[in-house]
Amino acid sequence: MELVAGSYEQILFGFTVHPEPKAGGDHEKWTSVADFTHHAHTASLSAVAVNSRFVVTGSKDETIHIYDMKKKVEHGALVHHNGTITCLKFYGNRHLISGAEDGLICVWDVKSWECLKSMKAHKGHVTFLSIHPSGKLALSVGTDKTLRTWNLVEGRSAFIKNIKQNAHIVEWSPSGEKYVVVILNKIDVYQLHTAAISGTITNERRVSSITFLSDSVLAVAGDEEVVRFFDCGSLMCLCEFKAHENRVKDMFSFEIPEHHVLVTASSDGFIKMWKLKSDKTVPPSLLCGVNTNARLTCLGVWLDRGADTKAGPPAPAAPSPVKKKDQARISGNESGDVVQEAAATEPNSQKCGLAGGSDKPAKGSSLLPCKRKTVEMLEKKKRKKKKI
């Protein structure tokens, strides 16, 4: 497995982790070895996503870079967005969905790296998006104070729900039966079958990252050194532990045989791996930690698995197909919020990205001119500013 983390310093870090058998009577420890450091972008990294073969990174330089982890080569870059890349999500091994400050959500074919759909998602920035386990729906939040439901089958907006403040995180549970919306330090838990808020979790500081450890347990990190586990039913804090010396910026969880692992990245420069207990009221134990000596911003874990295996906690039960009435309920009106069905406008089908559908890696500098600004132009601007 490989830990990958992005930083403010424009560097992408890679560390190979080797699980080791537990020695008699000793605490289990894993070893990590530095694999690569790559000056990935011309601005700070803002998002990272992984599937069984690729790692993709997004940045404030408005580009998405692709890395083939099987061949250990840079595969190329996507330059469709005109704003900071705020979120990247793989669905399986065929599709990547990206969101950015230009208000667009783009759906990419991972085989050809063709932009299949380009949808104007929000009037302001897209701050976060999450894909339903069925792959048929997605939720997004933006700076226009809306929560939007997307029909990924038809590639269009389905419903819009006005919320009182700008949310910065939205996430489906592993089964898809609930989802959470984060606004500052509050986490609203919604049930899919009612589309109503079943409760609100309050963290002590602004929430910076969340990840579901199971369908009912949520790990929450904020602008502090502590990570907390909350029960989504009782809304109670099950346990908390000091993970870092500075604020936790991102988290990632996954399961391998005999291990359920939580990975945390912090502004203190450390990436740490924690072994979760079956009893989530017990704090996890540290497996390993690495110091990057950089201010980390985003995190991912590449697992060298089979083509049809997805990282992350498995759903307790297979998600049922999402019906149209459930789509409506997702953005349902609970307390007088304005809800409207979006017009089924034709998405922009402009093709962009890497040339052709060849499996051969494209050179990192060979970008198609499908956008007004290229990396080269950004670098020229940067050099001009330095001269001034």
Side-chain angles (χ1 to χ4, degrees):
M1 72 181 73
E2 186 110 7
L3 298 178
V4 289
S7 65
Y8 282 110
E9 290 79 9
Q10 308 170 10
I11 303 295
L12 178 68
F13 295 92
F15 295 89
T16 303
V17 177
H18 302 282
E20 294 184 355
K22 185 176 180 180
D26 295 331
H27 291 293
E28 186 172 12
K29 293 292 182 183
W30 291 4
T31 58
S32 59
V33 178
D35 188 22
F36 64 85
T37 55
H38 180 59
H39 196 155
H41 293 268
T42 59
S44 60
L45 277 73
S46 52
V48 64
V50 297
N51 71 357
S52 66
R53 180 170 179 177
F54 295 104
V55 168
V56 294
T57 58
S59 167
K60 288 188 175 181
D61 67 11
E62 308 179 355
T63 66
I64 300 168
H65 284 216
I66 309 158
Y67 305 91
D68 188 326
M69 296 300 289
K70 298 276 190 182
K71 298 179 181 178
K72 298 287 183 176
V73 295
E74 185 171 358
H75 196 76
L78 308 172
V79 290
H80 185 69
H81 285 288
N82 190 28
T84 297
I85 310 301
T86 55
C87 43
L88 294 167
K89 299 286 182 180
F90 276 109
Y91 181 74
N93 295 294
R94 285 301 309 272
H95 296 97
L96 171 71
I97 301 183
S98 60
E101 288 187 354
D102 57 6
L104 296 180
I105 287 178
C106 295
V107 181
W108 304 88
D109 185 318
V110 172
K111 187 174 180 181
S112 63
W113 295 109
E114 174 188 2
C115 184
L116 301 176
K117 301 285 183 182
S118 181
M119 303 174 285
K120 183 62 179 177
H122 291 269
K123 292 178 181 178
H125 304 165
V126 178
T127 53
F128 213 87
L129 62 89
S130 181
I131 306 170
H132 189 270
S134 68
K136 295 180 179 180
L137 291 178
L139 294 172
S140 69
V141 288
T143 55
D144 55 1
K145 298 181 182 180
T146 63
L147 167 66
R148 303 198 179 212
T149 308
W150 299 93
N151 182 328
L152 295 181
V153 177
E154 298 179 13
R156 64 176 181 85
S157 177
F159 297 96
I160 303 169
K161 176 182 173 67
N162 291 339
I163 50 183
K164 295 177 182 178
Q165 291 175 280
N166 290 329
H168 60 282
I169 300 175
V170 62
E171 195 71 66
W172 288 102
S173 68
S175 70
E177 292 299 317
K178 64 172 71 75
Y179 56 97
V180 295
V181 176
V182 181
I183 301 173
L184 299 176
N185 69 323
K186 297 190 181 298
I187 305 167
D188 291 329
V189 182
Y190 289 80
Q191 300 298 324
L192 174 63
H193 65 282
T194 62
I197 297 176
S198 60
T200 299
I201 295 168
T202 303
N203 196 48
E204 289 190 14
R205 300 281 183 90
R206 180 185 182 275
V207 175
S208 56
S209 179
I210 61 171
T211 185
F212 277 95
L213 304 179
S214 69
D215 212 51
S216 59
V217 179
L218 186 68
V220 178
D223 290 343
E224 55 187 331
E225 306 87 357
V226 174
V227 173
R228 297 181 178 88
F229 297 166
F230 287 93
D231 185 284
C232 291
S234 67
L235 309 177
M236 300 294 293
C237 180
L238 301 176
C239 77
E240 66 175 62
F241 64 98
K242 183 178 179 180
H244 292 272
E245 296 300 322
N246 207 326
R247 58 181 178 173
V248 180
K249 292 290 290 183
D250 203 2
M251 297 188 295
F252 187 93
S253 67
F254 64 93
E255 285 192 62
I256 57 175
E258 300 181 7
H259 291 85
H260 189 179
V261 181
L262 176 69
V263 189
T264 57
S266 168
S267 296
D268 64 9
F270 276 88
I271 307 170
K272 294 184 179 181
M273 303 185 77
W274 307 87
K275 183 178 181 180
L276 299 170
K277 314 295 184 184
S278 56
D279 182 0
K280 296 302 183 292
T281 61
V282 179
S285 57
L286 183 65
L287 289 169
C288 72
V290 294
N291 187 5
T292 64
N293 294 304
R295 296 170 297 160
L296 300 177
T297 57
C298 48
L299 171 72
V301 179
W302 179 72
L303 300 168
D304 193 3
R305 291 174 161 178
D308 59 348
T309 308
K310 294 203 297 182
S320 56
V322 182
K323 299 176 182 178
K324 284 190 176 181
K325 64 179 181 179
D326 286 332
Q327 291 186 30
R329 285 171 178 163
I330 291 170
S331 297
N333 189 338
E334 187 203 8
S335 57
D337 293 333
V338 178
V339 181
Q340 60 189 100
E341 185 170 355
T345 55
E346 271 303 311
N348 179 3
S349 59
Q350 175 188 2
K351 296 181 181 180
C352 62
L354 300 179
S358 173
D359 289 332
K360 293 181 180 180
K363 292 181 181 179
S365 60
S366 60
L367 308 177
L368 282 184
C370 66
K371 185 172 173 244
R372 291 175 293 279
K373 296 178 183 178
T374 64
V375 171
E376 288 80 5
M377 290 171 68
L378 289 169
E379 288 174 342
K380 285 180 182 177
K381 285 184 179 180
K382 203 173 182 181
R383 285 196 291 269
K384 284 182 181 178
K385 285 180 181 178
K386 285 182 179 179
K387 288 179 181 177
I388 293 169

